[in-house]
Amino acid sequence: MKTLSRSLAAGLAAAAFTTIAASTIASGATLDTVRERGFVNCGVGENFPGFFAPDASGKWSGLDVDFCRALSAAVFAAPDKVKYLPATPAARFAQLQSGQVDLLSRSVTWTMSRDAGLGLGFAGVTFFDGQGFMVRKALGAKSAKDLDGATVCTQTGTTTELNLADYFRANGLKYTPVVFETTDQVIAAYEAQRCDVYTTDKSTLAARLTKLKDPAAHMVLPETISKAANGPVVRQGDGQWANIVRWTLNALIAAEELGITSANVEQVRSTTKDPEARRLLGADGELGKLMGLDKAWAYNVIKSVGNYGELYERNLGPKGAVPIPRDGLNRLWSKGGLLFAPSFQ
Ligand SMILES: N[C@@H](CCC(=O)N[C@@H](CS)C(=O)NCC(=O)O)C(=O)O
């Protein structure tokens, strides 16, 4: 078992390493490298159904995986030019800084120290989340405030670990952290009752609860203790690639707002009079050229993977791997949520 201070020290050492590594990477030209290679190297996590998970044949699926497929469609006009490279949360930033991957698309939470301190650039938000606590019902806790003195299992190299420390300190509560590298290790420890509490983003708790040996014996406490804005991240220093990743996400969101889907995109492109839809789909203008892409780049994205709403439905809708009702922040801004794409002008 690690103490919190030891694990925080390890985190800071890892941050220092990745900062040094960042300066050794040549900047620019990621698009050229990706084109020459013939596929996008997409950094994902090991296994988080609904977001990134391989099936028995090694085929990846999930919301974050669909974003990699969208990017592949933007660059190659086909969604399958992607290699998925999994890493643990603790290893992921070095994976990006070393150039092993072209982006991370794997529930990375956007924070200031990551954005400004690690030579990274966040491209936007694919999923708004927040951290929660899972406990055995037998513990008798009804609220996070009842967790004074608890042992808490969590994963190293995550915002989760830091939010946990903040929350307990701010509320004058004591706890003992039990920290692991992988999600499977955390779950195994929680199931083996090595800790009273499992804490991570609430989407993960939802995904994991149903997979426990006896789901009915566990519950998620009502509190959400953090704001987690999760999305794709790239290295700083290559504005073109950052724009491609950012505007691919914006295209998915704008398409939903404009009612453009994988099923109707062809018809919309040839018949719509909406000026923004025409620019988005390349019927008017050459917006794609500004990023070194074909004018049909966003058309190819939507044709291949659909709009943001289709991605959500496929992965997190009632028939998705982990149903998470699309209420609250993950709705479009026009429906009371926070998903907003700047203008395609
Ligand atoms: N969003 C938080 C938490 C990330 C996190 O803990 N992810 C876990 C659970 S979703 C994960 O990636 N698990 C799969 C893995 O270990 O590769 C962060 O960016 O620090």
Side-chain angles (χ1 to χ4, degrees), residues 63-86:
L63 186 79
D64 293 329
V65 165
D66 273 346
F67 184 75
C68 303
R69 298 174 71 241
L71 199 55
S72 164
V75 175
F76 295 110
D80 55 352
K81 309 284 183 205
V82 186
K83 184 173 176 188
Y84 297 97
L85 293 110

Side-chain angles (χ1 to χ4, degrees), residues 45-46 48 52 87-89 92 106-109 114 155 158-160 183 200-201 204 230:
E46 291 175 306
F48 178 14
F52 45 85
T88 61
R92 61 190 156 170
R106 48 149 309 148
S107 300
V108 184
T109 300
R114 288 173 177 177
Q155 222 168 325
T158 60
T159 47
T160 316
T183 306
T200 187
D201 291 343
T204 311
N230 297 344

